Amino acid sequence: MIHMAPIPAENGVEGDDEREEEEDDEVSGGEEEEEAEEEDEPRLKYQRMGGSVPTLLSADAASCIAVAERMIALGTHGGSVHILDFLGNQVKEFPAHSAAVNGLSFDIEGEYIGSCSDDGSVVVSSLFTDEKRRFEYHRPMKAIALDPEYARKTSRRFVAGGLAGQLIFYTKKWFGYQDQVLHTGEGPIHAATWRTSLIAWANDAGVKVYDAANNQRVTFIERPRGSPHPELLLPHLVWQDDTLLVIGWGTSVKIASIRIQEQGANGTYKNAQVSSMNKVDIVASFQTSYFISGIAPFGDSLVVLAYIPGEEEGKKEFSSTAPSRQGNAQRPEVRIVTWNNDELATDALPVHGFEHYKAKDYYLAHTPFSGSSYGGGQWAAGDEPLYYIVSPKDIVISKPRDTEDHINWLLQHGWHEKALAAVEAGQGRSELQEEVGSRYLDHLIIERRYAEAAALCPKLLSGSASAWERWVFHFAQLRQLPVLVPFMPTENPTLSDTVYELALVALATSPAYHKDLLSVVKAWPHTLYSSLPVISAIEPQLKNLAVTDALKEALAELYVTDGQYEKAFSLFADLMKPDVFDFIEKHNLHDAIREKVVQLMMLDSKRAVSLLIQHRDLITPSDVVTQLVEAGDNCRYLLHVYLQSLFEMNPHAGKEFHDMQVELYAKYDPKMLLPFLRSSQHYTLEKAYEICLKKDLLLEQVFILGRMGNPKEALAVIINKLGDMEEAIDFVSLQNDDELWEELIKQCLDKPEMVGMLLEHTVGNLDPLHIVNMVPDGLEIPRLRDRLVKIITDYRTETSLRQGCNDILKTDCINLWIKYYKEAKHAIYLSNEEDEARAKRDGDRVSESSLGRGPSLRNMELKSKTMGSGRCCMCFDPFSIQNVSVVIFFCCHAYHMTCYKDSSSSLSADEEVEHSDYDEYDYGEEKDNVNSPPQMRCILCTNAAR
C-alpha cells in the first residue's frame, strides 16, 4: 500500500502530519515502515483545500459537493450552498434551505446551480443574476439533476426525487412549470445524474435510464445483491462519457455501455437520434473488498473512494446513521483500479476526524474533462481532472501527478538515472533540470563514481559557464579533475582561461593521463589558454627518466603554440615523428638539425640525406659522419647511405671518408664497390686491397692490383680464382702490354681448358698460331677441333668484314669527291643591297623550292647566300659602293681586290693577283689557264688553317 506523502499546498495551506493532525492543517502520508517489496509510484497527489473552507467547516459540516468547469458548489448540513473557486475561496453563498443539503447539480455552462434538501425544497439559482426558483415538497428531497442545456433552453428542465419515491421531471411551459412523474413505487430516489439526453437515477430496486429526447425508458440495472440499504450506503452514479455509465453501489462496480447501432466513418458513435440506442451492455463488473463511498473516471481506469470496514464491523456498521463514537474507523483510501479490478495505486487519506466517520459521510466529485485529452497514461497540459474528497470537516483535492512530481518522487527514492531520463523527456522546468543534474552529480560523487559523473556533465550542465567552472573546481578539490577534462566544453559555453590551464596541469601531473593531455592539447583551440603555465608545470618532469612520450609530444605541441619551434623540433625528433621534416621546412629550422642527425636518419634516411646534403654548408659532412659513427653499429648502414648519396652528388665532397666508404660498400653493397673504386681517387689502395681480401671480392682485387701496378698478380687472380678468360683477355687488352700477353699464355699452358678458352677469345688480339706453337706437345685440349673450327670461322669472318669495310670506305671517298666536284662547279651568288631586300621578301619561296632539291645543292645555296652576301670580308663594305675588282673563293668568302692585296702581302710576296670584274663571272663553265700565275688563297681560311 502506498500512502499519501506530504505535498506543499499550492494555495499556501500545507497538509498536516498524522502525528500532529489535531494541531496542523497539512495533509500527509502515514509514517509507516517501508515494505520489503519495491514501492510503486503514486498516481495522484493531494492537498487540503484552503481559502474559506476551514472557516466554513469549523462552524458547519459539509454534506455534498458539485464541481463545474469554473467553480465548486459545497452544500452543508446547515442548509447553505457555498460557491467556491478552485482554491477554496468563497465567491457566493446561498442560504437556500433550512436543513441539510442532500444534492447539488450544475448545468453544463456553470450558470445555474440546483440544490435539494431534507426540508423538502428544491432551489434552482442563477449564479450571475437574481433569478431563483424554489419548489416545495412535503418529503425530504435526496437527488437533483439539471438539464445540461438548462441555461441554453427555455424549457428549464430538471429532475428531482426523494423519500416520496417519485422522480419528478420538471419542464417550463407558457404558464409555469409542468411536472411529470417519470417513475414511482420502488422506494426513495437516492441519486440522479443527467448526460446529454439520458437521465439515470437509483432507487431501492436499482438503476434506471430514461431518454428525455424521446420520452422513453432505456434500461434497468438491478441493484447488486447483498448491498447495504441505500439509506445507509448511497449508490453513486457517474457518466464516463456520453455512452458509459459507471455505477458504484456497496461493494459492487458496474459499467454500463449504452450503444447505438450506427457508427461514423472514424469508428466513433454518431450523435444520432436516441431512438437508435436500443442496446445496453454491462461491459465491466467486479466486487471489492471495501465499501464504495465515491467513484469517478480516471482516463481508462477508475478512481474509487474506499471505506475500509473495521475488524468488528460488518452489518452492524450500517445499523445507524449517527456517527460512531467509538473512534475505531480507518482512514479512507483513494484507489485507482482498472475495469478488471486490478489496483494500480492506493493512497490512505488522514482526513480530520476520520475515526468517527462512516462510509456515507464521504463524497467524491470530479471536474468535467474530455476523455480525448487522456492518452498513454498522461493528460494533455491543462486538461488534468481534479478530484475532491469531501468529509464533514475537510476537503482534500487530488489530481494526477505531473512530470515534475514524478521526477521529485524518483529523486526522493534515489533513482537519479530515471529522474534524469524524465527530465530529458522535456516536460520539466529548466530549473528542475538543473536541480536534478546537481543532485545526480552529488549522488555519483558521494558514491565515488567520478567517471560517470564526468560523462554526465555535458548533458546536465549544458550551456552554463558558471556551473561548469563550479564543478571543475569541485573535481579539482577532489583530485579527480583529469576525469572531467575530456568532457569540458570549448565553446557554448567558453570557460575562463584559468579553468583550462588548471585542467591541463592536472593532466600533466598524472602519468596515467598523459595520453589524454596530448589529445586535449591537439583538440583544444590555442586561444582558450596560455601555454606558459602548462609548460612550466611540464618542463621539470623532463628530468625524470620515466617521462612518457605522450608528455613529450604534448610539451612539443605547447612549444609550437608558444612559438618555441626549435624546442618543439628537438622533442619531435626525439619522438621520431614522421612529419618532423615538414615541420623543419615550415619553420625554417635547418640550423636546428645539427644535433639531431641520428634521429632524422633513423626516421627517414632518404629525406634526411637529401636535407643534410642540401644544407651541408650548415652541417658539414664531418659533423654528420661523427654523429653517425658515435651512434654505433646501428647507424653504420645509415652512414653508408649518407656517404653514397654524398659521393653521387659530388665525388670530392667527402673524399676524406672514401676509405671508410670502401669498407661500407664491401659490407652493405658489394656490387657497387667496383664502380666506386673506378670513380674515386681518394682512397688508400693498400687499405682497400686488404678489405677486398677479407671480403673475398675478386674483381675488386683485380682492379686494385691493376691500379697498384701489379698486373701480373691481378692476372693471376683472374685466372686462378675467377677462372674467367674473357675477363682476363679484357684486362690484358686494357693494359696494352705485350709481356702481359705472354704472361697470360704462360699461366694458361698448364690448364688445358684455359688454353681452349684462350684460343676462342683471342681472335683479333693475338695470332692463334702463336698460341698453338707454345702449347706443349701431348697436351689434351678439350674440344680442340671445335675450337679450331671456330677460330678459322672467326678469322674468315673478320677478314671478310675488313674487306667489306675497305670497299665501303673506297666507295664513300669516291662519292664524296664527286659531290665536292659538283658543288665546286656551281657559281657563287653575290647580291647588292637592293638584291638583299628582294631576297628577304622572297625568302619563303626560296626555302620552299629548296625543299625539293638535293641536300648538297640546298646547302650550297644557303652557304653562298650567307657568306657571300655582297660585302667584303675584310672591310665589310658592299661591293656596289666601290668601283673595285672583286675576288671570290669557292669557300664563299669575297674581298675587294685592294683589301685582299693589302692583307695577303704578308703571306706571299710572289703571288700575282688575278684580275676579274664583278660582271665577268661565268656562271656556266669553268676555264682552265695553264699559264696562269700561282693560285690565290682565301685569307680567312688560310689563317684558320694555321
Side-chain angles (χ1 to χ4, degrees), residues 244-301:
L244 288 177
L245 177 64
V246 181
I247 305 169
W249 200 330
T251 59
S252 173
V253 176
K254 292 182 179 180
I255 301 176
S257 175
I258 303 174
R259 297 182 299 156
I260 60 177
Q261 293 179 347
E262 297 179 345
Q263 290 186 349
N266 58 358
T268 60
Y269 295 109
K270 293 182 178 179
N271 293 326
Q273 296 295 327
V274 185
S275 59
S276 63
M277 297 184 181
N278 54 12
K279 186 174 183 180
V280 176
D281 291 332
I282 304 299
V283 295
S285 178
F286 58 87
Q287 294 291 323
T288 65
S289 59
Y290 47 81
F291 296 120
I292 299 172
S293 295
I295 194 167
F298 184 80
D300 53 3
S301 303

Side-chain angles (χ1 to χ4, degrees), residues 533-708:
V534 188
I535 292 174
S536 301
I538 298 177
E539 284 181 338
Q541 299 185 46
L542 295 181
K543 300 177 182 178
N544 187 357
L545 297 178
V547 63
T548 61
D549 289 345
L551 183 63
K552 289 182 180 180
E553 187 174 355
L555 179 58
E557 295 289 347
L558 292 171
Y559 279 143
V560 173
T561 302
D562 197 47
Q564 303 182 45
Y565 300 117
E566 292 188 2
K567 290 184 178 180
F569 161 73
S570 179
L571 291 174
F572 282 141
D574 291 339
L575 294 171
M576 309 290 287
K577 290 297 178 182
D579 54 353
V580 69
F581 294 97
D582 297 330
F583 187 79
I584 293 171
E585 297 296 336
K586 180 178 179 181
H587 300 289
N588 194 22
L589 299 175
H590 303 105
D591 291 339
I593 66 177
R594 188 183 306 275
E595 303 299 329
K596 299 298 178 181
V597 172
V598 176
Q599 291 87 338
L600 295 178
M601 290 292 294
M602 294 179 67
L603 179 61
D604 189 339
S605 60
K606 183 177 181 180
R607 296 188 67 179
V609 166
S610 176
L611 183 65
L612 293 170
I613 292 177
Q614 183 180 358
H615 298 281
R616 62 184 182 278
D617 54 334
L618 299 176
I619 176 168
T620 64
S622 298
D623 294 334
V624 176
V625 172
T626 300
Q627 292 188 42
L628 292 175
V629 170
E630 291 175 354
D633 293 339
N634 292 334
C635 293
R636 295 289 290 178
Y637 177 74
L638 299 177
L639 177 61
H640 164 67
V641 172
Y642 170 74
L643 291 176
Q644 182 182 16
S645 299
L646 182 65
F647 179 79
E648 292 174 353
M649 187 275 303
N650 185 356
H652 305 288
K655 59 184 180 181
E656 63 270 27
F657 306 112
H658 284 196
D659 286 335
M660 184 185 298
Q661 274 191 274
V662 173
E663 182 179 357
L664 294 173
Y665 271 116
K667 182 176 182 180
Y668 296 108
D669 197 359
K671 293 181 180 180
M672 296 301 297
L673 177 56
L674 185 58
F676 173 77
L677 295 174
R678 289 173 176 169
S679 302
S680 174
Q681 302 293 331
H682 304 292
Y683 59 88
T684 305
L685 295 176
E686 291 77 7
K687 292 182 180 179
Y689 183 68
E690 291 178 2
I691 293 172
C692 293
L693 282 177
K694 290 180 181 179
K695 298 294 183 178
D696 196 24
L697 301 174
L698 300 179
L699 291 176
E700 289 76 7
Q701 293 179 32
V702 171
F703 177 80
I704 296 174
L705 288 173
R707 179 170 284 188
M708 292 173 64

